[in-house]
Amino acid sequence: MQNDRTGESLLFLTDEQLRQGIEAMFFAYRGFTADPDRILEKYNYGRAHHRAMHFINRVPGTNVNNLLKILGVTKQSLNRVLRTLIQDELVTLKIGTKDRRERHLYLTDNGKSLEKQLSTAQSHRMREAYRRVGPDAVTGFKQVLEAMMDPKLQVTYKKLRSS
Amino acid sequence: MQNDRTGESLLFLTDEQLRQGIEAMFFAYRGFTADPDRILEKYNYGRAHHRAMHFINRVPGTNVNNLLKILGVTKQSLNRVLRTLIQDELVTLKIGTKDRRERHLYLTDNGKSLEKQLSTAQSHRMREAYRRVGPDAVTGFKQVLEAMMDPKLQVTYKKLRSS
DNA sequence: ATTGGAATGTCAACAAGACTGACGTAAAAT
DNA sequence: ATTTTACGTCAGTCTTGTTGACATTCCAAT
């Protein structure tokens, strides 16, 4: 084996390295969702509710189509979730003034409160992880994740950052 | 705001930083599973089948209990998946010689072939991501993921590394 | 040798959350 | 006036998870 950059690069991209990354993603995602899941269970909600609330909080007044693009599910699937959230008064609809076909979505005070609970729990674990590994590792973490996204989602992700 | 280490540390752990990490995980996981999902669809399998095959390949001869711990599902849920994989001759059982209650699991040649297809597709995306961001970012990526795991899963993850 | 418990399998029932397909309504755009 | 868009909804299906109950096998301890 050569001891130049090519050699290092090949060594760096071994199957073992890749497989470790795959398994790390799998196990970490379990941890990532574990804390919110426990809270959601108490309210008889699921991850789908959490995701919807997260992005309605993130983009207040978003319409349904935009939310569908972010979440990557069908309107029927989202609609089921939204219906319960609206019934339970965690989310409100406002009919668009400019385009009256559009429904703009907002969290109610109750919705904001639950969303805060969920994001606090999820952030807490991430904060601890960040704290343990330091800023440079966090930068790398985000770079790899961003590079793994589908191009369209990468655009969506960046738009959220700058909004 | 103070301009000392405490200040930097606080700035580093802003809600914005944490939320970006959360959203990056969400979007990246979609990319992470997208390619294998497309392949699985052709064979009428799902992610559960992929995960089972991945770890049977990773730990050949594992018994069911061990696999359950790794996957974090109920035996009934795993059993349904294993049954179809065994019927389709992608996985074989061997009854333990030392403890004849235990079923040791192995991929057949067909199983190995499909697993290879799936892991190749999944690795390809990760390889591209790694290549784009470089070795240091990859180190940070794994560090953060490992720090986010539940302690028990972290142990499991490390055991897999050294086996 | 019998008994308790562990490992495994299996049946039934259920729920969340994804999907497709079809249809309806309202409103904007052409 | 017609077409397209945005949204909702009904119906049915699939995967993957859950609980609970029960049977079998078999090791290990009394």
Side-chain angles (χ1 to χ4, degrees), chain B:
Chain B
M1 168 96 54
Q2 292 167 51
N3 198 15
D4 58 8
R5 261 188 206 162
T6 305
E8 276 179 54
S9 179
L10 287 173
L11 191 63
F12 164 63
L13 289 168
T14 56
D15 286 354
E16 175 62 23
Q17 288 283 321
L18 293 165
R19 207 195 40 207
Q20 275 177 25
I22 288 169
E23 289 170 1
M25 275 296 280
F26 173 61
F27 291 126
Y29 202 79
R30 294 247 289 279
F32 174 67
T33 55
D35 304 318
D37 280 357
R38 268 189 288 274
I39 296 168
L40 289 159
E41 211 180 347
K42 293 191 291 185
Y43 296 89
N44 278 310
Y45 293 134
R47 267 181 218 174
H49 300 86
H50 182 194
R51 291 196 286 261
M53 293 182 69
H54 175 96
F55 288 107
I56 293 172
N57 180 62
R58 189 78 178 76
V59 193
T62 179
N63 62 31
V64 175
N65 248 2
N66 184 48
L67 195 53
L68 284 174
K69 277 175 205 155
I70 294 172
L71 294 173
V73 297
T74 57
K75 61 175 179 172
Q76 293 90 333
S77 198
L78 175 57
N79 200 254
R80 196 194 304 122
V81 168
L82 283 181
R83 212 185 309 162
T84 68
L85 291 175
I86 291 166
Q87 275 172 3
D88 296 351
E89 294 185 326
L90 299 176
V91 168
T92 51
L93 282 183
K94 276 189 193 168
I95 293 176
T97 49
K98 196 180 164 190
D99 183 339
R100 297 186 56 208
R101 288 169 301 184
E102 291 184 350
R103 268 69 173 170
H104 300 285
L105 303 166
Y106 301 87
L107 293 185
T108 63
D109 287 348
N110 281 346
K112 282 176 194 164
S113 164
L114 177 54
E115 198 284 330
K116 187 84 181 172
Q117 256 194 84
L118 294 166
S119 71
T120 298
Q122 195 158 41
S123 295
H124 180 261
R125 183 185 291 252
M126 193 158 282
R127 190 193 307 275
E128 274 305 294
Y130 280 13
R131 194 187 55 70
R132 283 205 287 272
V133 301
D136 292 347
V138 172
T139 302
F141 167 69
K142 287 190 190 169
Q143 281 175 342
V144 175
L145 289 184
E146 194 174 324
M148 276 179 41
M149 293 177 199
D150 275 331
K152 281 188 183 178
L153 282 180
Q154 204 173 318
V155 172
T156 304
Y157 172 70
K158 283 181 182 169
K159 272 186 192 163
L160 284 172
R161 282 180 142 210
S162 59
S163 72

Side-chain angles (χ1 to χ4, degrees), chain A residues 36-90:
Chain A
D37 280 356
R38 269 189 288 275
I39 296 168
L40 289 159
E41 211 180 347
K42 293 191 291 187
Y43 296 89
N44 277 313
Y45 292 134
R47 267 180 219 175
H49 301 84
H50 181 193
R51 291 196 286 261
M53 294 182 69
H54 175 95
F55 288 107
I56 292 172
N57 180 62
R58 189 78 181 75
V59 193
T62 179
N63 62 30
V64 176
N65 252 358
N66 184 48
L67 194 54
L68 284 175
K69 278 175 204 155
I70 293 173
L71 294 173
V73 296
T74 57
K75 61 174 179 173
Q76 293 92 331
S77 199
L78 175 57
N79 200 253
R80 193 196 313 120
V81 168
L82 281 181
R83 212 184 309 163
T84 68
L85 291 175
I86 292 166
Q87 275 172 2
D88 297 351
E89 294 185 326
L90 299 177

